[in-house]
Amino acid sequence: MARKGGELEAFIAFLGGLLAAGLAALAMAGIGLAVRPTPALKSAALVTLGAIWLTVTTTVYLRIKPRSS
């Protein structure tokens, strides 16, 4: 019996996006310890993290979603 939906795939993609954004945030925090971040740089970092999360989540979901036969 084939499974319908895509909830599991969506959840896995969501977690993958969170993992990628979390790793990027850790890297940015490490860089922030060495360089004094300005408010503009902090805003750019938040936008970058959002873009990373969205891109990775969408890419993972499209690669693992069930294919219609």
Side-chain angles (χ1 to χ4, degrees):
M1 180 170 152
R3 189 171 57 80
K4 298 213 180 205
E7 293 85 11
L8 180 62
E9 289 83 359
F11 182 67
I12 291 169
F14 174 77
L15 290 180
L18 280 181
L19 177 64
L23 290 173
L26 283 174
M28 288 179 184
I31 292 170
L33 293 174
V35 178
R36 191 80 178 180
T38 63
L41 191 58
K42 289 179 184 179
S43 296
L46 289 176
V47 170
T48 302
L49 288 175
I52 288 171
W53 174 79
L54 182 61
T55 303
V56 171
T57 299
T58 303
T59 303
V60 169
Y61 179 73
L62 291 176
R63 294 197 36 97
I64 66 173
K65 76 176 184 175
R67 305 277 191 252
S68 57
S69 334

